[in-house]
């Protein structure tokens, strides 16, 4: 964000900007009355306008001792990816992926490309169910199995077991079975970085920081003109989705939401812009390109509109109350 001296910058940009960078320092609190952000080094930074863009972090395996075993990974940052890449190159005798959302499914796909044996444990009925629903999830399940994935749905991992040297060796599943694995990837979704806002009085919590479509932060249902929110941590009402609050964890949303917030931070009310992006993302896995537009979980019916499910090349539309609310394509992006 390029702005006045009093702005707090929490995200990076490629272009040189006239900003004071405070890298490696964590914001630990927000004092709205004094219009100041507290930093971990004790400094208080005043602001005229504040942008909250603290994003999300990977949800770690919930048992800290098991999460600390060598060979247990999560994936969020470039360093996480580099460490996992190194572990997969070793190579392991079997990889276990816990959670078959998009990230878990992409990791699984990479494992199969490397010809590594991989077991996926997903507590839902199929991979990608949360994002794309049960009908497309079943198709994804078949694709994974056809690519040699040992896919186990409707199950959880109860515990991870390590050897005397502290390296993970096996996982115990909720159905009583045990799987030997020496690399475990916990792909359990994300947690929004909102703890530092505790006590600030913003509508923030588990689901993110509430704001209006212009990025203005919500305080008990009233928006403020001095604090803005953008990116993964933001949730705002969307006119196309019955004004429900949506949180979108996609690059497009982070970039365009930040643009709208930045515009509104430095303009007066008649010139405010809404951020009403139609969510969209794509994923390459198992030799397929999957594209999604809109909000599939908002739909309650699905129709295959083009192509062939059998040939794994199709488009499907999601509907709700007679209106199309999302679409997904498999190898049919155009
Ligand atoms: C493995 C993976 C693959 C992905 N692939 C895709 C994809 O293919 N397409 C797509 O559209 N999206 C993808 N995403 C999602 C995309 O990366 C996010 O939507 C995007 O990074 C969100 O940007 P952001 O700036 O809101 O948050 P982030 O990128 O999370 O940035 C937030 C920043 O705030 C910092 N921060 C947090 N708390 C504090 C604090 N208290 N004080 C100071 N700094 C703080 C963090 O260190 C971080 O640098 C992927 C995500 C992951 C994890």
């Amino acid at each position: 964000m390029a702005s006045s001296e009093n702005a707090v910058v929490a995200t990076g940009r490629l272009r040189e900007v006239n900003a004071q960078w405070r890298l490696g320092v964590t914001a630990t609190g927000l004092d709205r009355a004094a219009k100041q952000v507290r930093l971990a080094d004790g400094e208080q930074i005043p602001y005229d306008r504040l942008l909250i863009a603290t994003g999300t972090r990977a949800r770690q395996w919930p048992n800290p001792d098991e999460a600390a075993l060598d060979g247990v990974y999560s994936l969020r940052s470039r360093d996480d990816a580099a460490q996992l890449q190194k572990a997969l190159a070793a190579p392991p005798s079997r990889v276990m992926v816990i959670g078959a959302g998009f990230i878990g499914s992409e990791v699984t796909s990479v494992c199969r490309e490397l010809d590594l044996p991989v077991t996926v444990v997903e507590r839902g009925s199929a991979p990608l169910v949360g994002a794309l629903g049960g009908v497309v999830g079943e198709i994804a399940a078949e694709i994974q199995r056809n690519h040699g994935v040992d896919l186990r749905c409707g199950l959880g991992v109860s515990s991870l077991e390590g050897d005397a040297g502290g390296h993970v060796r096996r996982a115990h599943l909720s159905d009583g079975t045990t799987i030997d694995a020496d690399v475990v990837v916990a792909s359990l979704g994300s947690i929004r970085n909102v703890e530092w806002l505790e006590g600030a009085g913003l509508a923030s919590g588990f689901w993110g920081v509430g704001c209006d479509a212009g990025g203005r932060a919500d305080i008990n249902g009233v928006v403020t003109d001095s604090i803005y929110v953008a990116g993964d941590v933001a949730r705002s009402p969307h006119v196309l989705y019955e004004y429900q609050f949506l949180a979108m964890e996609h690059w497009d949303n982070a970039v365009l939401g930040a643009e709208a917030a930045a515009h509104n931070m430095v303009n007066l009310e008649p010139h405010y812009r809404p951020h009403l992006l139609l969510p969209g993302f794509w994923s390459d896995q198992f030799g397929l390109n999957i594209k999604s537009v809109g909000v599939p979980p908002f739909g309650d019916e699905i129709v295959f509109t083009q192509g062939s499910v059998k040939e794994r090349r199709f488009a499907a539309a999601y509907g709700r109350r007679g209106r199309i609310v999302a679409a997904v394509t498999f190898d049919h992006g155009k």
Side-chain angles (χ1 to χ4, degrees):
M1 181 187 66
S3 60
S4 73
E5 284 176 8
N6 284 350
V8 174
V9 176
T11 58
R13 281 181 68 154
L14 296 176
R15 193 148 52 86
E16 185 116 348
V17 294
N18 179 19
Q20 195 188 6
W21 294 93
R22 301 296 306 270
L23 301 176
V25 184
T26 303
T28 53
L30 167 62
D31 182 342
R32 277 200 297 123
K35 286 194 156 188
Q36 289 186 342
V37 170
R38 282 190 297 280
L39 302 185
D41 62 8
E43 207 179 335
Q44 309 251 15
I45 309 271
Y47 64 84
D48 299 318
R49 299 278 190 279
L50 170 69
L51 176 69
I52 296 170
T54 43
T56 58
R57 60 185 185 274
R59 185 182 302 278
Q60 303 295 315
W61 181 247
N63 180 315
D65 292 335
E66 295 171 12
L69 291 169
D70 285 341
V72 178
Y73 298 89
S74 62
L75 187 56
R76 175 81 204 173
S77 65
R78 192 173 54 175
D79 287 349
D80 295 339
Q83 282 178 19
L84 179 58
Q85 187 180 34
K86 208 168 146 195
L88 296 182
S93 54
R94 177 167 292 273
V95 179
M96 163 158 291
V97 177
I98 310 175
F102 270 99
I103 291 173
S105 296
E106 287 186 12
V107 169
T108 304
S109 170
V110 167
C111 290
R112 292 308 300 138
E113 275 171 38
L114 296 171
D115 207 21
L116 295 172
V118 54
T119 296
V120 176
V121 179
E122 162 58 51
R123 123 180 117 182
S125 59
L128 311 182
V129 151
L132 300 180
V135 174
V136 175
E138 284 306 323
I139 297 168
E142 202 179 307
I143 290 169
Q144 293 205 8
R145 290 193 170 109
N146 288 344
H147 278 80
V149 176
D150 173 27
L151 176 64
R152 305 186 183 210
C153 296
L155 289 179
V157 172
S158 320
S159 62
L160 301 174
E161 187 185 323
D163 60 19
H167 195 106
V168 69
R169 289 299 168 206
R170 63 191 57 85
H172 299 275
L173 274 49
S174 56
D175 64 353
T177 53
T178 297
I179 309 265
D180 288 346
D182 40 7
V183 166
V184 171
V185 185
S187 179
L188 307 172
S190 57
I191 296 180
R192 293 179 165 78
N193 294 318
V194 294
E195 292 83 354
W196 69 284
L197 294 168
E198 210 173 309
L202 299 182
S204 72
F206 179 80
W207 295 108
V209 185
C211 58
D212 72 1
R216 295 183 296 174
D218 184 332
I219 299 158
N220 291 326
V222 179
V223 290
T224 163
D225 276 314
S226 55
I227 304 175
Y228 291 74
V229 197
D232 281 12
V233 80
R235 61 190 293 261
S236 58
H238 201 301
V239 62
L240 289 180
Y241 296 98
E242 298 175 0
Y243 287 94
Q244 285 195 20
F245 277 76
L246 301 181
M248 302 177 232
E249 293 178 44
H250 309 310
W251 288 325
D252 265 9
N253 174 58
V255 172
L256 299 174
E259 273 179 22
H263 174 89
N264 295 338
M265 287 167 90
V266 296
N267 280 281
L268 293 173
E269 194 270 338
H271 305 290
Y272 283 170
R273 265 190 218 154
H275 169 56
L276 292 175
L277 174 77
L278 198 58
F281 64 91
W282 72 93
S283 171
D284 290 316
Q285 48 183 277
F286 302 102
L288 286 169
N289 174 253
I290 302 175
K291 283 190 171 166
S292 166
V293 64
V295 183
F298 197 77
D300 52 19
E301 49 190 324
I302 184 168
V303 176
F304 291 92
T305 53
Q306 289 179 339
S308 152
V309 172
K310 205 168 149 218
E311 287 167 23
R312 304 285 180 244
R313 192 176 157 78
F314 61 83
Y318 296 76
R320 177 174 166 122
R321 294 187 199 157
R323 195 166 70 83
I324 292 178
V325 294
V328 66
T329 61
F330 274 47
D331 261 355
H332 202 61
K334 281 186 184 168

